[in-house]
Amino acid sequence: MSDHVTIPTAAGKFDALEAGPPSEHGVLLLHGFPESGLQWQRQLGALAQAGYHAIAPDQRGYSPGVRPEAVTEYRMEKLIGDVLAVADRVGWDRFDLVGHDWGSAVAWSVAGAVPERVSTLSALSIPHPEAFGQALAHDPDQQRRSAYMRLFRSEDAERTLLDEDAARIRELFEDRVPAEHVTAYLERMRAPGALTAALNWYRAVRHSGAVGRITVPTLYVWSTEDSAVGARAAEATADYVAGEYRFEVLDGVSHWMAEEVPERVNELLLSHIGGHRR
């Protein structure tokens, strides 16, 4: 079970799900597009049962209390700052960091920027940003997989994605995500300004800098049916991790692995985090 909480920061109040007793072993879980902290429901329970204090915030733009209008307010340095502000607020000097999709991109960036704060990194789906960038520049397969980003950055994105009862967003989930979660995500995206805020993450990409090599113990999990990420970027991620590295491939699993195969994801997270427990 997890509790709904509010975490106040200088940027505003973040909504979050929290599970487990207060502990020196904190785990922060970062969701992707177009989800929320709810995507980590099964992971929160497993982590709490293992004795961790786990928190899954609704990130910038997804939390109504932190929804600035300017695209530049969604550049990576702001997203990194949010992670550190939440960790500071709950009293974590060091913490284990888990991300999926855009949450993975943020998690890689946090681990690169402030490795002294991150005990372990677990990234699901999205590879190291520089490996991804190289694939996007040179790999036709990755270029095809990422073609949707042009729509997401366009002026018509909001209307197109919400037309016909948000059919385009529903299609993203490929019937791999629990129906009640999809309903909750769509309800959030229909709130005034919410979808624009979520899309501003894509529009602000050009304001992001290099991440560099990762030195913290890292788990990267890619799935063979991930429509957004091809094998080239996934396999190249090893070149950008200087610390201990574990690469796991989930055969026959989609982009939405945390909700599609939660037991397997929980097993991997608990093994990685537990293997480096302070």
Side-chain angles (χ1 to χ4, degrees):
M1 293 293 292
S2 55
D3 297 319
H4 290 270
V5 298
T6 301
I7 302 174
T9 72
K13 294 181 178 179
F14 287 91
D15 297 334
L17 292 175
E18 180 180 43
S23 167
E24 64 183 29
H25 301 290
V27 183
L28 194 63
L29 301 102
L30 307 177
H31 68 84
F33 176 90
E35 301 184 287
S36 70
L38 178 64
Q39 81 158 89
W40 300 112
Q41 187 177 51
R42 297 285 294 276
Q43 287 71 44
L44 288 166
L47 288 163
Q49 189 172 13
Y52 297 99
H53 181 193
I55 296 176
D58 294 347
Q59 295 199 78
R60 176 174 292 243
Y62 294 81
S63 284
V66 193
R67 189 172 287 162
E69 293 185 6
V71 170
T72 54
E73 288 297 306
Y74 295 86
R75 62 190 189 274
M76 188 56 71
E77 69 181 69
K78 293 286 187 179
L79 307 176
I80 294 171
D82 291 342
V83 170
L84 299 178
V86 168
D88 290 345
R89 181 68 186 186
V90 298
W92 295 345
D93 291 329
R94 286 173 59 83
F95 52 94
D96 296 285
L97 187 56
V98 181
H100 170 254
D101 188 77
W102 260 112
S104 285
V106 177
W108 285 111
S109 298
V110 171
V114 285
E116 68 277 8
R117 298 292 302 271
V118 179
S119 298
T120 66
L121 168 65
S122 299
L124 310 185
S125 180
I126 299 300
H128 188 286
E130 291 172 41
F132 185 79
Q134 286 296 311
L136 191 57
H138 303 291
D139 180 26
D141 174 62
Q142 187 57 58
Q143 291 165 2
R144 286 191 295 271
R145 292 171 186 266
S146 297
Y148 70 90
M149 292 185 186
R150 288 195 293 273
L151 167 62
F152 284 13
R153 292 174 183 146
S154 74
E155 294 182 0
D156 294 331
E158 288 85 344
R159 177 184 57 78
T160 301
L161 291 173
L162 291 178
D163 273 355
E164 300 180 19
D165 193 29
R168 293 290 291 270
I169 296 179
R170 293 180 189 277
E171 289 171 4
L172 292 174
F173 293 116
E174 306 171 274
D175 294 323
R176 307 283 189 127
V177 174
E180 63 272 20
H181 285 200
V182 174
T183 297
Y185 301 146
L186 291 178
E187 182 178 357
R188 176 64 62 92
M189 288 295 97
R190 289 189 179 105
L195 181 54
T196 295
L199 292 171
N200 280 344
W201 286 54
Y202 292 91
R203 294 162 176 157
V205 164
R206 60 183 173 275
H207 299 289
S208 299
V211 173
R213 291 186 181 273
I214 303 301
T215 57
V216 306
T218 298
L219 165 69
Y220 172 49
V221 188
W222 176 68
S223 47
T224 60
E225 293 189 18
D226 192 323
S227 59
V229 180
R232 179 164 172 174
E235 293 168 356
T237 288
D239 297 335
Y240 297 89
V241 182
E244 182 180 333
Y245 181 58
R246 179 179 177 184
F247 177 41
E248 293 284 344
V249 177
L250 303 183
D251 288 323
V253 176
S254 76
H255 179 76
W256 313 101
M257 62 181 77
E259 291 160 294
E260 183 180 352
V261 288
E263 294 85 0
R264 179 59 177 145
V265 169
N266 292 349
E267 177 187 337
L268 291 171
L269 292 180
L270 290 171
S271 172
H272 180 59
I273 295 170
H276 300 87
R277 195 158 182 169
R278 304 183 296 280

